[in-house]
Amino acid sequence: PCLLMSSVPVAMAAEGETTTLAKLLHLIFLSTFWGMQIWVTFISGIIMGSNLTRHTFGFIQSKLFPSYFHLGCACAFFNLIIFAMHHPSERLNKEETFQIVILFICVAFAALNAQWFGQITSEIMADMHLIEKSCGLGQDIGTSTNRAAYNQLKENNPKYKAFSNQLALYHNASSLCNLCCLICNGISLYYMAANLSRL
């Protein structure tokens, strides 16, 4: 019986060590956010944009992105909390300090996308689609087809042109935030891989 008991892993960690549960949660939140980013940024967006009509693609994005941005923001926030709880400021080394900064940057950019850039982009796109629909546009397959018609609409409709300029600005800002989060999560994954035994 003593031998059997000694072979069972001990769940509780010693003082100053990271518990298995904390490591598991940190891995789940980080891998969930990373997986969503890879899928949405490099797979689903490209496939849908190439095979759906302009308005259908925009409608799906307007429903998908709020959930994507808010879930990503929550994952980034919990990652920061878990890491900070197990790395008190008075015991941080340079590598851990850098990781704290990376996690904080990720939370900041994810929050910007969830609360501002992503939401405004969807609202502007919806306004543009109303104008396009009134002009018989928006049912072409792919976002890059029939550009001449949309360029002509911008020339003839100042309001649509203003929306288009705003969309480009906020969409680029949203994409930049998403890219920054992707880079931050990549760095965090590298840190985790190098420190699997201690988070």
Side-chain angles (χ1 to χ4, degrees):
C2 293
L3 180 61
L4 180 62
M5 290 296 293
S6 64
S7 65
V8 178
V10 180
M12 295 182 62
E15 185 178 356
E17 294 183 359
T18 307
T19 64
T20 301
L21 178 60
K23 294 177 184 178
L24 176 62
L25 291 175
H26 189 59
L27 178 60
I28 289 174
F29 290 130
L30 182 57
S31 59
T32 297
F33 196 5
W34 175 264
M36 287 194 307
Q37 287 178 306
I38 296 299
W39 177 258
V40 172
T41 305
F42 300 110
I43 301 175
S44 67
I46 295 175
I47 294 175
M48 289 191 298
S50 302
N51 294 276
L52 298 177
T53 65
R54 180 184 180 93
H55 286 181
T56 301
F57 177 54
F59 176 77
I60 293 176
Q61 279 190 315
S62 69
K63 300 301 181 182
L64 174 66
F65 277 14
S67 298
Y68 165 62
F69 290 142
H70 283 89
L71 182 56
C73 185
C75 287
F77 175 75
F78 287 125
N79 272 333
L80 175 61
I81 294 300
I82 292 171
F83 192 88
M85 286 176 59
H86 291 84
H87 297 84
S89 57
E90 62 273 10
R91 297 209 305 262
L92 288 177
N93 57 35
K94 289 184 178 180
E95 187 180 30
E96 292 167 345
T97 301
F98 178 72
Q99 183 62 15
I100 285 281
V101 172
I102 288 296
L103 291 171
F104 180 81
I105 291 174
C106 189
V107 171
F109 281 114
L112 280 174
N113 244 349
Q115 298 298 325
W116 193 18
F117 295 137
Q119 181 178 352
I120 295 177
T121 299
S122 295
E123 292 173 355
I124 296 173
M125 184 172 59
D127 291 333
M128 291 180 65
H129 285 180
L130 289 176
I131 298 176
E132 292 168 359
K133 188 175 181 179
S134 67
C135 297
L137 297 174
Q139 296 306 309
D140 35 293
I141 302 294
T143 56
S144 60
T145 57
N146 201 18
R147 291 197 175 199
Y150 295 100
N151 290 334
Q152 186 66 37
L153 180 57
K154 282 192 284 187
E155 293 179 6
N156 298 335
N157 191 320
K159 186 177 181 180
Y160 182 81
K161 183 177 182 180
F163 280 145
S164 180
N165 292 335
Q166 291 176 0
L167 180 66
L169 176 64
Y170 284 103
H171 182 267
N172 289 337
S174 179
S175 298
L176 180 60
C177 287
N178 188 65
L179 178 61
C180 288
C181 288
L182 186 65
I183 293 172
C184 288
N185 284 334
I187 295 173
S188 296
L189 281 172
Y190 178 84
Y191 174 86
M192 176 172 281
N195 300 275
L196 283 176
S197 60
R198 59 184 179 88
L199 187 59

